Amino acid sequence: MTVSTQTVSTIQFPYKRTLGPVMGRFFSELTARRIVGIRSGERVIVPPMEYDPETGNELARDFVEVGPAGTVRSWTWVAEPIESHPLERPFAFVLIRLDGADTDMVHVLDAGAEDAVYTGMRVAPRWRDEPVGRIDDIVCFVPGERAEAPEGEPGEAREVTTMEYFSTITYTDVLSPTLVRYASNLRAGKLTGQRCPRCNRVFLGRGYCSVDAIRLGPELDEDLPDRGVVSNYTIVTPTPYPGQKETEPFARASVVLEGDEMVIAQQQILDLPVSEIRVGMRVRAEWMPEAERDAAEITSKGWGTVAGFIKGWRPTGEPDEPAEQYMNRVF
Ligand SMILES: [Zn+2]
């Protein structure tokens, strides 16, 4: 059975920053479909800055309306936009010198085709229907002198003091050949590890011994028992936070595989009140039904996990092992 060799993950978090009096003014003016720069000596800087970029001196807040049309000074064509790009069709990133400005502003040009774009071409903004005080109130620039905007005059500028957005990082985790073999075996209901020939420790899906720093090849794969002994546990009383689905106290246990050094941490003990979990208790893996086994949590980060394949561990009812034998066996 095959296992995908990579997983794609996205981390997203909300981010909010205050804009200050200068950028705040720039974004406020956008809500009234106006673009402003700031005077710095003889020059007009767009978007406005708080400090003169050459001397570092604070600038007087002398704002100047510019554009809305301007001239393309430089550009690059994006033939295949990705999800994070502002337009879904091919477009150009452009440096635009807005009329009345002395610096270039980066934005997006929707020109239809690459051969329609050239340095020196005249462009004007296409405004969003309902401006909110963000740079994409200008959806993009379009060829020509005339700004595109919805019917009617824009309202008064609204004061914009903060900027809020989701910061998103998407990354691809490529599974090593060892992890792919490990996950394929789990899918077939087999727990496998690799025994280090030097120290005799067993590792799940790692491909190297982290004690001896040597590579562990596929020839060292061996089947491991899906039975073991609870060596440690924690009872967690859940507090509510986003994503927490547990409402009652639950346990997470470490299980030492039978006859081996290997410890699988963060395991669920099934069919037993948390108050009855004991160190030394013998347990056996409860595998997920074959159709529900899922390798999504097998990644190159951290220890070998059995999440997605083993639902939890059920007490076998056999007599306990002496608890003292399992001191210091969390991982
Ligand atoms: Zn070793």
Side-chain angles (χ1 to χ4, degrees):
M1 212 176 280
T2 57
V3 164
S4 165
T5 55
Q6 58 184 48
T7 54
V8 177
S9 306
T10 297
I11 299 174
Q12 188 182 59
F13 54 92
Y15 186 85
K16 184 174 185 173
R17 60 164 286 185
T18 52
L19 293 168
V22 173
M23 290 312 292
R25 174 70 182 269
F26 175 76
F27 289 111
S28 299
E29 294 289 345
L30 290 180
T31 67
R33 293 190 217 135
R34 284 194 296 265
I35 306 169
V36 298
I38 195 166
R39 218 177 281 285
S40 174
E42 297 296 304
R43 304 197 307 155
V44 173
I45 298 173
V46 183
M49 301 180 81
E50 293 185 24
Y51 298 91
D52 182 328
E54 263 135 49
T55 63
N57 293 332
E58 188 168 358
L59 296 174
R61 298 194 185 140
D62 186 3
F63 295 99
V64 185
E65 186 174 350
V66 298
T71 303
V72 171
R73 304 267 293 179
S74 184
W75 56 280
T76 186
W77 187 248
V78 180
E80 293 175 20
I82 60 173
E83 199 185 328
S84 55
H85 279 146
L87 296 182
E88 289 173 1
R89 51 193 176 277
F91 68 93
F93 277 117
V94 282
L95 281 174
I96 299 169
R97 180 72 55 97
L98 292 169
D99 295 345
D102 295 285
T103 60
D104 301 330
M105 183 172 87
V106 67
H107 215 285
V108 170
L109 174 64
D110 186 12
E114 183 174 2
D115 58 14
V117 187
Y118 54 93
T119 297
M121 78 185 285
R122 295 286 294 164
V123 294
R126 173 182 292 153
W127 291 96
R128 180 211 286 271
D129 287 352
E130 303 277 345
V132 293
R134 293 197 330 202
I135 191 64
D136 58 355
D137 284 348
I138 302 171
V139 176
C140 58
F141 280 77
V142 292
E145 297 287 339
R146 284 174 56 85
E148 292 181 11
E151 293 284 306
E153 287 300 304
E156 286 293 298
R158 291 193 311 278
E159 194 182 10
V160 178
T161 57
T162 59
M163 182 165 89
E164 280 182 70
Y165 59 96
F166 281 103
S167 195
T168 303
I169 303 166
T170 297
Y171 63 94
T172 303
D173 184 61
V174 179
L175 296 189
S176 67
T178 311
L179 276 169
V180 172
R181 274 198 330 278
Y182 171 69
S184 303
N185 289 337
L186 283 173
R187 194 157 278 202
K190 276 197 307 183
L191 192 54
T192 55
Q194 293 175 298
R195 187 176 300 276
C196 172
R198 202 170 290 173
C199 69
N200 209 39
R201 287 181 176 87
V202 175
F203 298 94
L204 299 185
R206 194 172 296 188
Y208 59 91
C209 172
S210 45
V211 177
D212 295 300
I214 55 171
R215 193 174 161 272
L216 306 178
E219 70 284 359
L220 297 169
D221 281 0
E222 62 178 69
D223 288 357
L224 301 174
D226 61 354
R227 297 160 58 92
V229 175
V230 172
S231 67
N232 186 287
Y233 63 91
T234 303
I235 296 175
V236 182
T237 302
T239 52
Y241 58 80
Q244 172 61 279
K245 295 182 188 119
E246 303 287 348
T247 53
E248 297 300 319
F250 62 95
R252 286 290 175 265
S254 296
V255 175
V256 181
L257 295 184
E258 206 163 77
D260 226 311
E261 289 291 310
M262 185 60 222
V263 181
I264 303 182
Q266 298 285 330
Q267 298 301 295
Q268 200 175 342
I269 304 300
L270 304 170
D271 292 344
L272 193 70
V274 290
S275 59
E276 289 178 30
I277 296 177
R278 307 174 302 278
V279 171
M281 197 168 67
R282 292 173 166 278
V283 290
R284 155 166 242 147
E286 170 86 8
W287 290 80
M288 308 276 285
E290 214 160 323
E292 292 171 29
R293 291 177 193 165
D294 178 9
E297 293 195 45
I298 306 290
T299 71
S300 60
K301 300 184 288 287
W303 293 280
T305 177
V306 294
F309 297 97
I310 291 178
K311 199 185 287 178
W313 302 73
R314 219 175 273 291
T316 64
E318 296 160 273
D320 285 8
E321 289 280 311
E324 309 77 60
Q325 210 171 304
Y326 295 93
M327 297 282 281
N328 304 322
R329 300 289 297 279
V330 184
F331 297 115

